[in-house]
């Protein structure tokens, strides 16, 4: 997770989080360390315990949708809107086992389900079946309080919300690699929900300007909400399609938002829409082959606009949360061929592995790329005993590898303009 205030507060935050976990009923007194990343002082690491294979299965079952299931694996409780079905006579106070319907085949209100389901853990029902599926409409609020989740990773809702922002490690690395400086003008082309946007602003000490764009209005509202929560004033968020962010004609005087003139930004972050194959936890992959292959052309359209909006001497960072060659190394090879003004740059910090072969990039360029490979992590789970016996160095080493799949490429723009054919796909 990212840590936003001055480092002098770090020890107090660590001690507070340690107390939070010590008092959490799921941990039952287990001591969970809060660790500072050895290379990135604004990151706190908390080990995740699991998967736990010794949990009992209760006769009373609750089936939740896939999205709710992902949230539970990340530490959330089950809220009523996420419940698809329950056992026939479930009432408030019952011990229940919670499962995820990963194929979406369970009918709402069913009394039993024999389809494909994944065990998420056990909890206590806060409401009865009749309340959940009553004729007057569904209720809201907490449905199942998880007491024995498969993964011990408690929710951070309302835990120091003005000081901490929960992110995956590679997402935090992105902002450090882009390395924004106070007073600069930064563009985050696909910003929602705002984790990287707010981190960039914090690294700039809230001095300068961070323009955040997303084409979905509700997501832009989330960016604004996070910026306000973290009290960051330099962020300006706009609902706009990044592929159309380059102004084709002269702008009106005083126009603040997109589209922007060419060479408007010191640094550009393109955390591109992608197939998301690196995301974890992931119990099923719903995209068709056609949907997966649709991302590469979109990424190139966004990339072409990003190059035009970047000032000469500026930095462009391209990242995805997927593992495919087509959306990562092939895009780098295409960019270097299409835009002679771009050069690959070393990355600091370089925590992940180098790029993958197969896209025609020479070894020296592959070493400049940063790829986080989820398969590099040990498949063995961590139980409470392992956690107590592990040394801090072992936990820190595991944290760098046991993360989502991710890709980062850093480019510098020379003094020449983008190639004439830069918009070609």
């Amino acid at each position: 997770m990212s840590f936003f205030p001055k480092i002098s507060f770090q020890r107090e935050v660590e001690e507070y989080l340690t107390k939070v976990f010590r008092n959490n009923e799921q941990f039952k007194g287990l001591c969970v360390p809060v660790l500072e990343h050895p290379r990135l002082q604004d990151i706190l690491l908390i080990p995740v315990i699991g998967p736990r294979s010794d949990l009992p299965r209760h006769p009373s079952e609750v089936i939740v949708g896939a999205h709710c299931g992902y949230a539970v694996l990340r530490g959330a409780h089950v809220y009523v809107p996420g419940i698809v079905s329950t056992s026939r006579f479930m009432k408030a106070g019952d011990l229940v086992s919670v499962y995820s319907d990963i194929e979406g085949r369970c009918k709402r209100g069913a009394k039993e389900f024999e389809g494909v389901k994944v065990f998420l853990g056990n909890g206590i029902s806060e409401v009865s079946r009749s309340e959940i599926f009553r004729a007057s409409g569904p209720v809201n609020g907490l449905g199942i309080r998880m007491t024995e989740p498969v993964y011990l990773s408690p929710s951070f809702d309302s835990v120091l919300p003005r000081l901490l922002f929960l992110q995956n490690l590679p997402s935090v690395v992105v902002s450090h690699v882009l390395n924004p400086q106070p007073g600069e003008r930064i563009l985050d082309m696909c910003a929602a929900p705002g984790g990287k946007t707010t981190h960039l602003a914090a690294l700039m000490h809230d001095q300068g300007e961070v323009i955040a764009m997303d084409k979905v209005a509700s997501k832009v509202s989330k960016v604004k909400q996070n910026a306000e929560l973290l009290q960051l004033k330099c962020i300006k968020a706009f609902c706009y399609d990044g592929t159309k962010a380059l102004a084709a004609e002269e702008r009106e005087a005083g126009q603040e938002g997109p589209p922007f003139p060419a060479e408007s930004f010191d640094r550009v972050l393109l955390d591109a829409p992608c197939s998301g194959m690196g995301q974890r936890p992931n119990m099923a992959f719903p995209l068709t082959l056609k949907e997966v292959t649709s991302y590469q052309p979109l990424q190139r359209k966004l990339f072409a606009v990003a190059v035009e909006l970047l000032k000469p001497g500026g930095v462009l960072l391209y990242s995805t949360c997927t593992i495919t060659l087509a959306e990562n190394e092939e895009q780098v090879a295409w960019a270097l061929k299409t835009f002679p003004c771009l050069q690959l740059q070393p990355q600091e910090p370089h925590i992940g592995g180098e790029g993958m072969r197969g896209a025609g990039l020479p070894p020296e360029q592959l070493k400049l790329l940063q790829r986080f490979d989820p398969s590099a992590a040990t498949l063995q789970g961590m139980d409470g005993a392992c956690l107590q016996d592990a040394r801090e160095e072992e936990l820190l080493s595991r944290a760098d590898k046991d993360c989502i799949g991710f890709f980062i490429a850093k480019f510098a723009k020379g003094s020449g303009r983008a190639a004439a054919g830069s918009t070609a796909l």
Side-chain angles (χ1 to χ4, degrees), residues 62 64 72 78 96-100 118-123 144 146:
V62 172
V64 302
V72 172
V78 176
V96 299
S97 289
V98 180
Y99 298 83
S100 177
V118 175
F119 179 60
L120 303 176
N122 299 318
I144 309 296
M146 298 300 296

Side-chain angles (χ1 to χ4, degrees), residues 181 183-187 204 208-211 251 256 260-261 264-268 311:
Q181 300 299 308
E184 290 184 334
R185 195 178 193 213
I186 312 295
L187 174 63
M204 297 165 62
E209 188 176 45
V210 179
I211 301 295
R251 291 174 17 129
E256 188 176 50
F260 302 103
S264 293
F265 296 92
D266 299 290
R267 301 175 198 261
V268 176
K311 295 178 181 179

